[in-house]
Amino acid sequence: MSTPAKSTPGGPLVAIGGAEDKTSEAEILRRVLSLSKKDAPVVGVITTASSVPDDVFGEYHEVFSGLGASEVLDIRIRERSDAASEQFVEMIRNSDIVFISGGDQMRLTNILGGSPVLETIRAQRQSGTVIAGTSAGAACQSQTMVYGGPATDSLRKGAVQMAAGFGLVDGIIIDTHFLERGRFSRLMEVGATNPEYLGVGLGEDAAVLFEGDVMRAFGPGHVIIVDSSQISGSNVFELSDGEAVTVHNVIMHALVDGYGFNLKDRRVLGPDELRAAGLEHWIANS
């Protein structure tokens, strides 16, 4: 039996595949704001992963302000000492939406791991705050995260590098820029060595919303599901690091806006079933 994939309890959790549209349409970011259920939410932007925080914050300040945010907070955490700062903890507590930008996810886990800021993010989610992240800010959300591995040939034992993430989603591995950077083999190698993990490959300008046992795809791009729980064979346990892996009976799904996935039963949900699952409020904003 595989470990059920599930979102930890709390408010909405959104993972975005990167390069989301920030023009006047800004479909994904517009929907993220709507999840707060406030007319003019406060958005806190964490730019820890980025090497150019001024530029990144400037972009999100402009787009979120244009979409109706009452305030966009610059949560500029650059060092581990910052992650213990009561100032930044209070900024997160005062945010209706906490948005984690892209960059290097190892910076995120190194700087925020085990910190008061990360504990506050987890606590705020439990109290209903919307937590969203793009690219590195999405990859870090899982209990175990991918942080490296060549896109061109990762179907080799040990090619994919993994580390502990933020633990907002259990039993799932999230990979980003998935189609654009040809990362299928990364999640296949993960599945061969860890069949219990459900692989979620987010294309650019694509996102998923986690609510309980349901994962909802939205945005213009594709969401790829790589389910290795039913694999019938692999040679991975016989290999030395770097040798080519064979794996059989991997199940894949491609989801688009309006479709979802039941994390407990591991099956695709169509628009009608999503309505039956009680997501009418989300569909109304689609």
Side-chain angles (χ1 to χ4, degrees):
M1 294 291 289
S2 61
T3 302
K6 61 182 179 180
S7 173
T8 57
L13 176 68
V14 175
I16 306 168
E20 70 279 2
D21 178 26
K22 301 180 188 69
T23 67
S24 58
E25 295 299 321
E27 181 178 339
I28 288 175
L29 299 180
R30 189 183 302 275
R31 294 201 203 183
V32 168
L33 257 66
S34 75
L35 288 168
S36 73
K37 301 180 182 177
K38 294 191 175 182
D39 292 334
V42 175
V43 182
V45 178
I46 297 176
T47 55
T48 304
S50 177
S51 61
V52 285
D54 287 332
D55 295 342
V56 170
F57 177 74
E59 286 184 331
Y60 285 111
H61 182 276
E62 181 177 358
V63 66
F64 283 130
S65 297
L67 292 173
S70 62
E71 190 174 3
V72 183
L73 305 179
D74 186 357
I75 306 177
R76 189 70 64 95
I77 299 168
R78 306 306 296 169
E79 307 290 342
R80 281 195 61 83
S81 58
D82 297 334
S85 165
E86 185 62 27
Q87 174 190 357
F88 291 125
V89 166
E90 280 303 306
M91 290 171 77
I92 291 168
R93 288 176 179 153
N94 291 332
S95 298
D96 302 305
I97 299 165
V98 175
F99 189 90
I100 307 171
S101 80
D104 181 350
Q105 56 260 44
M106 287 300 285
R107 281 187 56 84
L108 280 169
T109 55
N110 173 263
I111 292 174
L112 300 186
S115 72
V117 158
L118 181 53
E119 288 305 311
T120 303
I121 290 171
R122 290 170 175 157
Q124 288 302 107
R125 182 170 180 238
Q126 289 181 346
S127 68
T129 298
V130 179
I131 307 296
T134 185
S135 191
C140 71
Q141 293 177 7
S142 51
Q143 187 73 42
T144 302
M145 71 173 188
V146 171
Y147 73 88
T152 52
D153 189 8
S154 286
L155 203 50
R156 294 181 177 274
K157 186 173 180 177
V160 178
Q161 299 163 311
M162 295 189 289
F166 287 174
L168 303 177
V169 179
D170 295 328
I172 287 174
I173 295 286
I174 298 171
D175 209 348
T176 59
H177 304 279
F178 192 69
L179 288 93
E180 295 76 9
R181 300 185 186 178
R183 289 176 167 171
F184 279 87
S185 62
R186 296 212 314 190
L187 287 187
M188 289 185 72
E189 200 269 349
V190 169
T193 54
N194 301 274
E196 75 275 17
Y197 285 129
L198 182 72
V200 178
L202 302 174
E204 293 181 356
D205 210 18
V208 289
L209 165 68
F210 293 101
E211 284 192 324
D213 291 331
V214 174
M215 178 178 67
R216 166 70 186 259
F218 66 101
H222 282 87
V223 175
I224 307 299
I225 306 298
V226 181
D227 183 357
S228 301
S229 62
Q230 303 301 314
I231 61 172
S232 55
S234 174
N235 65 344
V236 68
F237 52 86
E238 302 170 347
L239 303 177
S240 299
D241 282 354
E243 292 187 309
V245 172
T246 180
V247 59
H248 318 141
N249 204 40
V250 177
I251 301 169
M252 292 192 183
H253 309 282
L255 307 183
V256 296
D257 196 326
Y259 287 78
F261 194 78
N262 186 301
L263 299 172
K264 183 178 180 181
D265 299 338
R266 295 205 173 193
R267 61 187 180 85
V268 174
L269 305 174
D272 291 342
E273 198 163 5
L274 286 175
R275 291 187 180 90
L279 296 179
E280 292 91 345
H281 68 281
W282 175 255
I283 292 168
N285 290 319
S286 298

